[in-house]
């Protein structure tokens, strides 16, 4: 019955790095919308390599688990490594079903937006 | 005291069989039992099966204060709805082709009405108020010279809202228009007295009252006579209204189940209502919670709530110690928000984030303490992950 892999369910049930980083050296991104059914807020330290990332998410199990996985994965990665992450990497790592591809796309959009740091806090 | 999880809280979807029902059904299956065709009255086996069917007919009739000859066996409430609506519409179409129903009906009624539009019928869908109620005045206002049928449910399956059927029935009777009522959810939960309720056609299901699936009843009033065109032909069983060999074991099971459930009704009503109210008291403080079940005129075991800061799938998967139903009809690729909640004016994201708790005979007071704790833990955890505030979702 369960669509999801054990790794996805573990991240969903015990999400890592939940919350929001504060301070001037924090890159911020918020993507998605309520009618769309997914909202992701991502914060990460601007240091290269990345020391810490945090998230908040409204969305499916796939969305929450992908955010948890991403923020854990980001620790210790260079900005370039983060830039090179693909939607398929997220899908493969979490063994997401094809119908949840949009969740992985939005998570990557949040990451790239935070890396661009072109999002102002609202 | 330990609680066995997941706790079954989906009694509005279906119920397990009562052990006494199983026993009664088992006595109708093998050579030693009453297995024969109730229409084969040329031998004792058939005669005994016929007697069992008659007894079950009497049990149903007694429970709803009707005559045994007004009970027509079907395969379930969906077939009863089909027979009532298509049968009445096709029989009376020379008088008019207008039907009134409501936007909160079960799909068995909505899809049947939808089908009739392909045969030239015109359907009016009454919209509920914010609490999920249809008002008798709406029915009166929608009646036309060519209206031949009104179909309004007794209690809503999602919210539990009990519709003002007595007042609606008095209007339709006064106007000489047939009234069909889908009572799949209300049977055994609230009293039904067809001696004083002027309803012409009423649909019932066995599996919502601890009886077997695959059997239901359509009540067809004799005085004044509700006329229908049969939908299943082949043998002229049941006064020609519904052909097919009668499934004695299913019928016996439904008869026993309805008799027992209706006998327990007053006590069980109070018990379920107390547990439902306790559950609500225990969770009503949770962030952004929306109660979709009405505070009054609601089935006793129903509680439909939304947690709109949390997405529906995450909510349902988070509440993994409970066997509950969401407010959405899920298919593999898409999730449709509940048509009932949308018609009540709820925002789509509120409708998506909905769970329906439906309590039943095997729910214990001790379970409710566990349910409250689990819901509070999961909702608090998922709300803390959400970037949305109550203001964002309830604006």
């Amino acid at each position: 019955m369960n669509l999801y892999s054990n790794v996805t369910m573990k991240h969903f049930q015990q999400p890592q790095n939940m919350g929001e980083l504060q301070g001037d050296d924090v890159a911020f991104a918020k993507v998605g919308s309520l009618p769309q059914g997914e909202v992701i807020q991502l914060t990460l330290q601007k240091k290269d390599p990345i020391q810490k990332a945090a998230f908040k998410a409204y969305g499916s199990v796939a969305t929450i688990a992908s955010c948890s996985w991403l923020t854990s994965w980001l620790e210790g990665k260079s900005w370039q490594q983060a830039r090179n992450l693909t939607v398929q990497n997220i899908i493969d790592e979490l063994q997401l079903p094809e119908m949840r591809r949009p969740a992985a796309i939005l998570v990557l959009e949040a990451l790239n937006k935070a890396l661009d740091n072109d999002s102002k806090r609202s | 005291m330990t609680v066995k999880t997941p706790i079954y809280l989906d009694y509005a979807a279906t119920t397990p069989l009562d052990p006494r029902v199983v026993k009664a059904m088992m006595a109708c299956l093998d050579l030693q039992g009453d297995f024969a065709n109730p229409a084969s009255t040329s031998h004792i086996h058939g005669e005994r099966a016929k007697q069992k069917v008659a007894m079950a007919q009497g049990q149903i009739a007694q429970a709803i204060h009707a005559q045994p000859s007004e009970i027509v066996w079907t395969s379930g409430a969906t077939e009863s709805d089909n027979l009532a609506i298509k049968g009445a519409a096709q029989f009376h179409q020379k008088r008019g082709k207008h039907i009134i129903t409501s936007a909160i009906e079960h799909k068995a009624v909505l899809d049947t009405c939808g089908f009739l539009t392909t045969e030239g019928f015109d359907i009016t869908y009454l919209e509920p108020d914010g609490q999920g109620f249809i008002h008798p005045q709406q029915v009166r206002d929608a009646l036309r010279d060519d209206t031949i049928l009104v179909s309004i449910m007794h209690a809503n399956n999602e919210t539990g809202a009990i519709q003002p059927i007595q007042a609606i029935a008095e209007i339709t009777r006064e106007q000489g228009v047939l009234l069909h009522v889908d009572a799949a959810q209300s049977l055994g939960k609230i009293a039904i007295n067809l001696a004083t309720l002027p309803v012409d056609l009423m649909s019932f299901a066995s599996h919502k009252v601890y009886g077997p699936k695959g059997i239901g009843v359509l009540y067809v009033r004799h005085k004044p006579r509700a006329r229908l065109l049969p939908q299943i032909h082949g043998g002229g069983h049941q006064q020609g209204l519904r052909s097919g060999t009668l499934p004695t074991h299913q019928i016996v099971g439904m008869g026993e189940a309805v008799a027992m459930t209706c006998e327990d009704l007053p006590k069980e009503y109070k018990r379920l209502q107390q547990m439902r109210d306790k559950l609500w008291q225990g969770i009503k403080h949770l962030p952004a919670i929306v109660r979709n079940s009405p505070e009054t005129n609601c089935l006793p075991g129903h509680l439909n709530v939304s947690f709109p800061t949390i997405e529906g799938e995450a909510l349902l998967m988070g509440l993994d110690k409970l066997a509950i139903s969401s407010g959405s009809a899920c298919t593999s690729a898409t999730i449709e928000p509940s048509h009932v909640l949308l018609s009540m004016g709820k925002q789509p994201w509120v409708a998506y984030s909905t769970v329906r708790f439906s309590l039943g005979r095997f729910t214990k007071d001790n379970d409710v303490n566990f349910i409250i704790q689990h819901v509070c833990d999961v909702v608090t955890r998922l709300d803390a992950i959400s970037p949305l505030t109550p203001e964002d979702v309830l604006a």
Side-chain angles (χ1 to χ4, degrees):
Chain A
M1 172 226 156
N2 200 338
L3 278 175
Y4 297 113
S5 64
N6 290 341
V7 59
T8 297
M9 288 311 292
K10 198 172 168 209
H11 275 287
F12 170 65
Q13 280 155 351
Q14 294 162 329
Q16 306 295 304
N17 309 304
M18 196 185 93
E20 185 178 1
L21 302 179
Q22 303 285 343
D24 294 339
D25 63 338
V26 169
F28 176 90
K30 195 170 185 177
V31 296
S33 70
L34 186 53
Q36 200 181 321
E38 287 181 293
V39 181
I40 296 170
Q41 180 189 301
L42 186 68
T43 44
L44 52 94
Q45 281 178 338
K46 284 181 183 171
K47 282 181 192 152
D48 192 0
I50 297 162
Q51 302 294 311
K52 184 104 188 104
F55 80 97
K56 283 193 160 195
Y58 165 87
S60 67
V61 170
T63 309
I64 292 170
S66 300
C67 287
S68 169
W69 174 82
L70 173 74
T71 51
S72 304
W73 180 83
L74 279 172
E75 283 177 28
K77 296 289 186 299
S78 70
W79 280 56
Q80 194 51 51
Q81 282 175 304
R83 279 277 183 213
N84 290 342
L85 189 74
T86 65
V87 168
Q88 198 56 46
N89 292 147
I90 300 173
I91 290 172
D92 292 345
E93 286 290 339
L94 291 156
Q95 299 157 43
L96 290 179
E98 186 53 34
M99 62 188 280
R100 290 291 180 263
R101 180 174 282 268
I105 292 172
L106 197 69
V107 171
L108 196 70
E109 189 186 322
L111 172 62
N112 285 326
K113 204 166 177 181
L115 292 171
D116 291 343
N117 201 18
D118 62 354
S119 177
K120 298 276 175 275
R121 273 169 195 256
S122 56
Chain B
M1 195 169 156
T2 54
V3 171
K4 191 169 171 258
T5 60
I7 298 176
Y8 188 77
L9 289 175
D10 206 10
Y11 286 87
T14 197
T15 55
L17 266 67
D18 185 292
R20 291 166 292 181
V21 171
V22 176
K23 201 175 161 200
M25 290 178 72
M26 295 285 278
C28 303
L29 292 172
D30 61 11
L31 186 61
Q32 280 70 45
D34 297 319
F35 70 95
N37 189 330
S40 303
T41 50
S42 58
H43 48 69
I44 184 69
H45 299 285
E47 192 56 49
R48 275 170 43 190
K50 187 184 166 193
Q51 282 169 12
K52 283 223 164 160
V53 169
M55 202 175 94
Q57 223 152 6
Q59 286 172 309
I60 308 277
Q62 195 182 356
I64 60 173
H65 303 270
Q67 299 303 315
S69 56
E70 294 174 315
I71 305 302
V72 176
W73 302 107
T74 65
S75 61
T78 295
E79 189 193 327
S80 297
D81 289 341
N82 270 264
L83 174 57
I85 296 169
K86 287 193 282 199
Q90 290 166 353
F91 190 92
H92 295 285
Q93 59 183 318
K94 284 190 180 141
R95 276 178 41 216
K97 295 188 99 170
H98 179 233
I99 295 170
I100 298 168
T101 188
S102 82
I104 59 167
E105 298 299 311
H106 190 274
K107 293 284 183 190
V109 167
L110 293 177
D111 289 352
T112 303
C113 288
F115 166 76
L116 284 173
T117 61
T118 66
E119 294 193 346
F121 287 87
D122 185 19
I123 317 287
T124 297
Y125 297 94
L126 303 177
E127 295 288 335
D129 65 15
Q131 293 286 300
F133 294 112
I134 304 294
H135 294 268
Q137 190 59 38
Q138 290 175 277
V139 176
R140 191 182 284 283
D141 292 345
L143 285 168
R144 309 191 314 214
D145 291 343
D146 62 341
T147 307
I148 52 165
L149 177 69
V150 174
S151 180
I152 305 286
M153 70 199 330
H154 199 188
N156 185 263
N157 49 311
E158 293 186 27
T159 65
I162 301 166
Q163 304 302 323
I165 290 301
Q166 182 78 38
I168 291 170
E170 282 162 14
I171 293 169
T172 51
R173 177 57 55 85
E174 170 202 308
Q175 298 294 317
V177 173
L178 281 177
L179 175 62
H180 165 249
V181 173
D182 179 346
Q185 281 296 332
S186 56
L187 178 67
K189 295 181 192 127
I190 51 175
I192 296 173
N193 185 347
L194 287 162
T196 54
L197 185 64
V199 167
D200 302 289
L201 301 157
M202 205 174 224
S203 300
F204 301 104
S206 152
H207 72 100
K208 311 278 192 192
V209 291
Y210 311 93
K213 292 163 188 61
I215 182 80
V217 157
L218 179 65
Y219 160 82
V220 182
R221 187 176 285 281
H222 276 186
K223 284 182 187 170
R225 194 173 188 85
R227 309 293 297 270
L228 303 173
L229 209 65
Q231 301 297 308
I232 295 181
H233 303 89
H237 305 76
Q238 306 198 70
Q239 306 155 63
L241 274 177
R242 203 281 193 180
S243 290
T245 299
L246 292 176
T248 313
H249 62 301
Q250 302 284 81
I251 288 171
V252 164
M254 181 170 182
E256 285 289 317
V258 170
M260 284 187 287
T261 309
C262 289
E263 195 185 314
D264 292 345
L265 192 153
K267 221 172 82 187
E268 189 66 354
Y269 182 96
K270 210 175 274 176
R271 195 182 73 89
L272 290 176
Q273 195 179 40
Q274 280 170 356
M275 288 193 296
R276 190 268 317 274
D277 291 347
K278 178 175 164 177
L279 172 57
W280 170 243
Q281 290 302 323
I283 64 172
K284 69 176 188 183
H285 64 279
L286 288 168
I289 188 170
V290 176
R291 178 175 172 145
N292 302 311
S293 291
E295 299 270 0
T296 55
N297 293 320
C298 184
L299 291 178
H302 263 67
L303 183 62
N304 184 308
V305 292
S306 304
F307 297 99
T309 58
I310 304 166
E311 192 269 346
E313 184 203 67
L315 179 65
L316 211 59
M317 297 283 282
L319 293 169
D320 60 355
K321 293 188 168 48
L322 309 178
I324 48 175
S325 162
S326 78
S328 311
C330 306
T331 60
S332 58
T334 58
I335 301 173
E336 293 295 327
S338 146
H339 69 279
V340 174
L341 298 180
L342 291 182
S343 73
M344 286 163 62
K346 307 286 178 190
Q347 299 279 20
W349 52 86
V350 175
Y352 274 125
S353 301
T354 298
V355 286
R356 177 188 67 186
F357 304 100
S358 55
L359 286 54
R361 191 182 292 172
F362 302 103
T363 314
K364 302 280 176 276
D365 190 61
N366 189 46
D367 295 339
V368 180
N369 300 329
F370 179 89
I371 297 161
I372 291 170
Q373 192 58 52
H374 182 55
V375 173
C376 289
D377 289 350
V378 170
V379 168
T380 304
R381 177 171 73 79
L382 291 173
D383 178 70
I385 299 176
S386 177
L388 303 176
T389 64
E391 294 73 39
D392 292 332
V393 294
L394 297 176

